[in-house]
Amino acid sequence: MTRWGRLLVRSLGWDALRCNSTPKKLTNLGRAHLNCRLGRMWVASHPYVLIVDVTNLCNLRCRFCPTGRGEYGRQKGILPLATFQQFIDELKPYLYLALLYDWGEPLLNGELPRMIAYAEQNNICTSVHSNLCVRDDGALRELVDAGLSHLTVSVDGVDPCSYRSFRTGGDFALVMRNLAGLLEYRSRSGRRKPRITWKYVVHRANEAYVEKARQMAREIGVDAFLAATIQSEDSSVLPRGTFGSMPGQDQKRCSWLWTTVVLHWDGCIGPCCYQFRQEDDFGRYEPGEFMRIWNNDRFQVARGLFGGAGGAELPPPVLCLHCHKVESRRR
């Protein structure tokens, strides 16, 4: 397989490429990566990955997460189904993936199953990342019935003690019961989707249990296990060993500015999943106006940081100026 082919598979997965490709999507995908490679600031290509923060509400208080610490960055709320559908309608000729999570617990949005179904019906793979700390079996079954492509479940321990060292307010037994029930319902329904990943965020307090968690994941029957190092500036919580990094951490050029867009619950547009404060938004979505936002000053400034222009002549400065990828590029 070519380097280009490996990049696409790693970014999108075989299912999205095999089942969701159209000539228009493939052409746009190629143009987006060409624009990224050339560092173009104004682009005619569209993003092919959508990140939707369906809510910034959460039922846990994880101490290393801004939401868990009460740092919401904007008002708390839930994305209306109508706004989601309007956005999908405008971008569906180009989208391969819709990631329906960011800074909150997506299952707290009661419209989530209908969002999943709407995207899947429009030939867009969907992914949800959940703590699975919910006491509603029906909501979990609805994820399967809606046609969800991929579910990542955060389980950062092997017992209540190791789990609560990170997931404050969580219930380990409830999560494991929900996970087992979800797998059983998927099997009983005769479906292959969603593909389920057990994600284990590794920090100093739970590092010793990674292999035990991997074994538990294998025994319960999930499709994949992922151990990823916690993101923190506090060296005392970092694991001593080496584990995988979060997506995108190893890239020195930010391809997101050409390939991916974030829709917050309040209709505001952001450049990447790390951005959550309202003052750092790049615009507010209006139906039929996406490309105007996609090529506004803020997006062009950000792309210019990687394209050689440096954004020197285009105000205002943006969040990207302080991104580690920009800082490493300047060194």
Side-chain angles (χ1 to χ4, degrees):
M1 183 182 293
T2 65
R3 180 174 178 271
W4 170 249
R6 288 193 298 271
L7 172 64
L8 295 184
V9 171
R10 187 167 63 248
S11 300
L12 298 173
W14 275 115
D15 286 345
L17 280 173
R18 184 178 66 251
C19 303
N20 291 14
S21 283
T22 65
K24 193 168 189 175
K25 285 187 179 184
L26 282 171
T27 300
N28 176 73
L29 186 149
R31 287 174 174 169
H33 280 275
L34 177 62
N35 289 332
C36 176
R37 187 176 183 84
L38 297 177
R40 288 173 175 160
M41 296 167 64
W42 188 96
V43 295
S45 58
H46 294 67
Y48 59 81
V49 176
L50 168 63
I51 297 174
V52 185
D53 197 9
V54 298
T55 181
N56 62 348
L57 301 172
C58 191
N59 50 351
L60 302 188
R61 302 181 305 279
C62 306
R63 61 193 179 101
F64 297 108
C65 172
T67 303
R69 297 192 301 265
E71 300 172 18
Y72 293 94
R74 66 186 70 235
Q75 288 186 330
K76 295 181 284 186
I78 292 174
L79 177 73
L81 177 61
T83 303
F84 176 80
Q85 291 174 329
Q86 288 173 334
F87 203 85
I88 290 292
D89 288 345
E90 187 165 348
L91 289 183
K92 65 185 179 185
Y94 313 100
L95 289 176
Y96 277 95
L97 288 174
L99 311 179
L100 307 181
Y101 61 90
D102 200 358
W103 291 103
E105 170 49 53
L107 291 177
L108 297 182
N109 186 328
E111 298 286 5
L112 179 64
R114 282 161 286 284
M115 293 177 178
I116 293 168
Y118 194 77
E120 293 282 348
Q121 289 162 9
N122 281 285
N123 205 30
I124 302 165
C125 284
T126 54
S127 179
V128 166
H129 194 150
S130 172
N131 58 47
L132 226 60
C133 274
V134 295
R135 300 184 184 277
D136 185 349
D137 294 341
L140 300 179
R141 291 193 293 268
E142 282 185 320
L143 298 179
V144 179
D145 295 337
L148 178 66
S149 297
H150 185 259
L151 173 66
T152 299
V153 182
S154 295
V155 192
D156 316 305
V158 295
D159 54 37
C161 183
S162 57
Y163 175 78
R164 284 197 302 267
S165 66
F166 184 73
R167 301 286 167 184
T168 307
D171 185 332
F172 179 77
L174 175 63
V175 174
M176 297 305 292
R177 187 165 62 248
N178 283 340
L179 186 53
L182 195 58
L183 287 162
E184 190 275 333
Y185 182 72
R186 184 185 69 174
S187 176
R188 181 157 42 90
S189 303
R191 293 182 170 94
R192 297 178 61 187
K193 298 192 306 181
R195 177 178 169 82
I196 298 176
T197 296
W198 175 323
K199 183 174 181 180
Y200 191 99
V201 176
V202 188
H203 51 87
R204 188 73 59 86
N206 72 356
E207 180 179 9
Y209 309 111
V210 173
E211 291 310 312
K212 184 175 180 180
R214 193 188 308 275
Q215 179 62 30
M216 290 173 64
R218 192 160 37 239
E219 291 173 354
I220 200 173
V222 298
D223 302 294
F225 178 86
L226 173 65
T229 300
I230 188 173
Q231 297 180 67
S232 177
E233 295 180 357
D234 182 356
S235 60
S236 69
V237 304
L238 295 176
R240 293 184 174 87
T242 301
F243 301 89
S245 60
M246 299 292 185
Q249 278 186 286
D250 298 329
Q251 298 175 358
K252 291 190 176 180
R253 165 168 287 199
C254 183
S255 61
W256 289 42
L257 295 165
W258 289 267
T259 66
T260 304
V261 68
V262 176
L263 176 67
H264 292 286
W265 78 263
D266 55 4
C268 291
I269 300 293
C272 77
C273 67
Y274 295 104
Q275 179 262 333
F276 66 96
R277 299 186 186 281
Q278 194 167 34
E279 60 264 30
D280 294 320
D281 291 339
F282 277 30
R284 179 178 291 276
Y285 175 67
E286 296 291 341
E289 295 293 318
F290 175 76
M291 288 305 285
R292 177 183 59 79
I293 300 170
W294 188 233
N295 282 304
N296 67 14
D297 283 359
R298 286 201 161 197
F299 269 108
Q300 290 199 50
V301 166
R303 293 183 189 122
L305 295 171
F306 295 95
E313 299 178 1
L314 288 172
V318 295
L319 173 76
C320 304
L321 288 169
H322 307 291
C323 174
H324 69 277
K325 295 179 183 179
V326 173
E327 292 173 352
S328 64
R329 183 178 176 85
R330 287 174 170 173
R331 287 198 289 268

